[in-house]
Amino acid sequence: METTSPQLPQLAPEQIRKAADYVELVWQEQGSEEEKAALAAFHADGPELARLIGEFGALLLADYITVVPDEHADCESAYVMDKLVTVASRYLKRWCLASGAGAHTAWIAAGFLIEIMQEVDQVSQFLADVRGDAARWPAAAAS
């Protein structure tokens, strides 16, 4: 698996950084008082956090994560993989946008994204790359 350069996101750079911070906190959470407080602050935003993680997950799946090397992009397997990523992305987004979705949904969705990133790369490095890309996007284009 490899990461690819993304298209312009539907999320603003600060939203991408916030989502990446949350996913990294879920990944590294060891139970310290500071981490518990940071998670509680994120979770206080329940439905909004779930929506953000759904959008962030869709961005990661659709624009960053591929399993098909460039030299096989024209193969039928690339087409099938593209469709699988599209379905997974759409399902994750719908699930996180569902009525009543909140902090628990965001937590589970973050766990799903962590599992995917661990297959691609080390989670902290992957999220650092996503944050770096978001910092380079023009603010007006992300609106």
Side-chain angles (χ1 to χ4, degrees), residues 9-129:
Q10 294 179 3
L11 295 172
E14 60 274 3
Q15 290 174 303
I16 292 170
R17 284 190 296 276
K18 180 179 179 180
D21 290 349
Y22 176 72
V23 170
E24 190 158 31
L25 184 61
V26 168
W27 178 63
Q28 293 183 349
E29 198 259 324
Q30 300 295 317
S32 73
E33 292 304 315
E34 296 82 18
E35 290 164 334
K36 287 178 184 177
L39 280 172
F42 272 111
H43 289 166
D45 231 0
E48 186 58 36
L49 177 63
R51 281 190 288 279
L52 176 63
I53 298 304
E55 293 285 345
F56 182 68
L59 172 73
L60 288 182
L61 290 169
D63 293 344
Y64 278 89
I65 299 173
T66 67
V67 294
V68 180
D70 288 341
E71 63 268 16
H72 296 288
D74 293 336
C75 298
E76 186 174 337
S77 61
Y79 173 80
V80 171
M81 189 51 60
D82 179 56
K83 296 305 169 197
L84 289 172
V85 167
T86 298
V87 169
S89 175
R90 185 173 53 227
Y91 183 80
L92 176 68
K93 194 171 172 180
R94 282 183 188 162
W95 184 59
C96 287
L97 297 174
S99 175
H104 182 71
T105 300
W107 177 272
I108 293 169
F112 172 71
L113 295 173
I114 289 164
E115 289 295 322
I116 292 170
M117 285 184 278
Q118 286 176 330
E119 291 297 319
V120 175
D121 204 346
Q122 207 268 343
V123 175
S124 286
Q125 183 58 51
F126 192 91
L127 292 171
D129 293 345

